[in-house]
Amino acid sequence: EDQVTQSPEALRLQEGESSSLNCSYTVSGLRGLFWYRQDPGKGPEFLFTLYSAGEEKEKERLKATLTKKESFLHITAPKPEDSATYLCAVQADNNAGNMLTFGGGTRLMVKP
Amino acid sequence: KAGVTQTPRYLIKTRGQQVTLSCSPISGHRSVSWYQQTPGQGLQFLFEYFSETQRNKGNFPGRFSGRQFSNSRSEMNVSTLELGDSALYLCASSRVLGDANEKLFFGSGTQLSVL
């Protein structure tokens, strides 16, 4: 059974204080690992897809990395508008569809 | 381009009732999937549809069902509601199935409260 665990559950940062969110996963075969951002009252919004160990992707202050067991979302010099819940999900390669298995999320709060 | 539209936005029902939720995917998207989100369990996959056929189903009881129409719009139905069905129900659409290059676009969800 595919499993995704995210840590920490919640993270409070001061504006400008860089940090990392962790996503540990077990999957029979990885087709893709996805990062989403979710704001209160809204659905998840796509950030990145990573496909194989060693891959990295960046977008503004966010950088996602992937190993065979974990993914990290690094946040550099965060701003208050980066406050949101960050979700990690995996898609198995034995899945004929688009089904994602999600972790519980990390709720990030950035204070000015 | 319009995003994924879910209606209604909020619903309040009582135990034992049934409910139907609606999802209109992004134009040109043929795949629709449904997820249940609760504070305790997070996001859990319910089912997905492509070309009016259910392609995958999650571990939910038979009270949860869905369908997809020829215009790709989808509905999900929950019968004999239980208190534990209170959740945010999210719909996501994509163009095709089984391609990790394909992003899922989520709607804002329907918040269901069962009293």
Side-chain angles (χ1 to χ4, degrees):
Chain A
E1 184 181 328
D2 304 334
Q3 286 191 326
V4 180
T5 304
Q6 291 187 246
S7 61
E9 288 187 10
L11 181 62
R12 289 188 173 207
L13 298 174
Q14 288 295 131
E15 184 172 1
E17 179 186 3
S18 301
S19 189
S20 296
L21 314 182
N22 176 263
C23 170
S24 297
Y25 66 92
T26 55
V27 64
S28 50
L30 183 68
R31 180 186 290 158
L33 184 140
F34 299 78
W35 281 97
Y36 282 84
R37 168 190 171 129
Q38 186 174 23
D39 292 298
K42 295 190 174 182
E45 178 185 348
F46 172 82
L47 291 173
F48 304 108
T49 308
L50 301 168
Y51 300 100
S52 57
E55 190 174 2
E56 298 181 352
K57 288 196 176 172
E58 287 188 69
K59 179 181 179 180
E60 297 180 357
R61 295 176 292 283
L62 300 177
K63 179 180 177 180
T65 62
L66 181 65
T67 72
K68 288 187 177 180
K69 295 183 180 180
E70 297 177 298
S71 178
F72 292 92
L73 186 65
H74 306 279
I75 303 177
T76 303
K79 298 182 178 181
E81 53 262 41
D82 294 323
S83 297
T85 296
Y86 290 85
L87 298 163
C88 171
V90 297
Q91 190 177 87
D93 61 9
N94 62 357
N95 166 24
N98 294 337
M99 187 184 81
L100 296 178
T101 300
F102 281 88
T106 294
R107 189 162 59 96
L108 174 65
M109 294 154 282
V110 182
K111 292 194 169 186
Chain B
K1 196 173 186 180
V4 178
T5 304
Q6 291 188 246
T7 57
R9 187 73 178 88
Y10 301 96
L11 264 179
I12 299 176
K13 293 286 187 178
T14 56
R15 280 181 300 173
Q17 288 186 310
Q18 75 167 21
V19 66
T20 300
L21 313 181
S22 179
C23 172
S24 293
I26 292 172
S27 177
H29 286 196
R30 296 171 61 195
S31 170
V32 172
S33 50
W34 290 88
Y35 289 81
Q36 182 195 65
Q37 187 174 30
T38 59
Q41 299 295 320
L43 271 148
Q44 293 186 291
F45 173 78
L46 281 158
F47 29 64
E48 72 182 337
Y49 289 87
F50 184 82
S51 294
E52 302 177 66
T53 303
Q54 187 179 90
R55 303 297 177 130
N56 262 321
K57 191 177 191 308
N59 294 326
F60 279 83
R63 299 185 297 105
F64 292 81
S65 63
R67 59 179 176 168
Q68 187 180 34
F69 302 96
S70 58
N71 61 358
S72 295
R73 192 177 68 85
S74 177
E75 289 181 347
M76 67 163 283
N77 185 76
V78 188
S79 62
T80 319
L81 284 166
E82 300 177 0
L83 295 179
D85 297 334
S86 295
L88 180 66
Y89 290 88
L90 290 161
C91 167
S93 77
S94 63
R95 291 175 303 158
V96 297
L97 282 184
D99 182 351
N101 292 310
E102 194 69 13
K103 306 172 192 175
L104 289 188
F105 292 85
F106 284 84
S108 292
T110 293
Q111 183 67 54
L112 172 65
S113 297
V114 182
L115 306 179

